[in-house]
Amino acid sequence: MRRIEFGALPTNRNTDPPGSWPDNLRNVARQLEEYFARERTEFDLPFDLSGVTTEFQRDVYDRLRQVPYGHVTSYGQLAREMGKADQARAVGQAVGANPIPIIIPCHRVVGSDLRLTGFSGGLEAKVQLLKLEGIEVDGASPTSRVRPDVIPLDL
């Protein structure tokens, strides 16, 4: 797997029936269906990001995959956890370039003030993903805030 995109398929694109999909694609679809049914909180899928991402981006994605289901983090917190406290903006750019959202849970990243920030699938999709994971969200605008059960504290 190399990419997940949001939105309708272009009208000139055809899709093969699921029965003809290769095993790896069926596995991805099954795990996503389980996630949306609240039966799965982690993904166990192979993916290859070499050639489509930088080493820094892969480091960000590796750390991002460790953010637990039902929790959020901030760009600054990710940067600090990676030992790159002064690179929160670069972390934000990497998160924004994530080619496989949901699997690499970039929807779990919010601003340090707990405001939503952006999402490649749109803020409404981000809100729905966060709510699916049990995180309260005050709206679907960039100024909306999340109300997670656990907020990491810098001690």
Side-chain angles (χ1 to χ4, degrees), residues 7-140:
L9 287 173
T11 55
N12 61 346
R13 301 262 311 262
N14 295 319
T15 59
D16 296 328
S20 68
W21 293 353
D23 289 342
N24 60 340
L25 183 57
R26 278 198 300 270
N27 187 29
V28 170
R30 179 184 53 78
Q31 288 193 33
L32 283 167
E33 287 172 355
E34 292 168 355
Y35 169 80
F36 288 117
R38 294 188 169 137
E39 298 168 356
R40 174 175 292 277
T41 60
E42 295 179 5
F43 294 94
D44 179 25
L45 296 166
F47 53 85
D48 177 13
L49 298 177
S50 62
V52 295
T53 59
T54 67
E55 183 177 341
F56 179 79
Q57 288 172 320
R58 288 189 296 276
D59 290 345
V60 170
Y61 303 151
D62 286 344
R63 176 61 197 106
L64 192 50
R65 291 183 66 212
Q66 297 172 36
V67 177
Y69 180 96
H71 292 75
V72 295
T73 190
S74 70
Y75 303 101
Q77 184 69 28
L78 283 173
R80 286 188 294 279
E81 291 170 358
M82 293 173 60
K84 300 177 185 297
D86 61 337
Q87 295 187 18
R89 284 186 181 216
V91 167
Q93 289 174 333
V95 170
N98 177 9
I100 49 176
I102 303 172
I103 307 298
I104 297 175
C106 55
H107 61 279
R108 296 179 189 154
V109 182
V110 297
S112 60
D113 60 358
L114 299 179
R115 294 190 191 274
L116 284 182
T117 69
F119 182 64
S120 62
L123 285 180
E124 186 59 40
K126 182 173 187 164
V127 168
Q128 293 306 315
L129 291 168
L130 292 172
K131 286 182 175 182
L132 175 79
E133 295 186 14
I135 297 172
E136 291 182 40
V137 185
D138 289 342

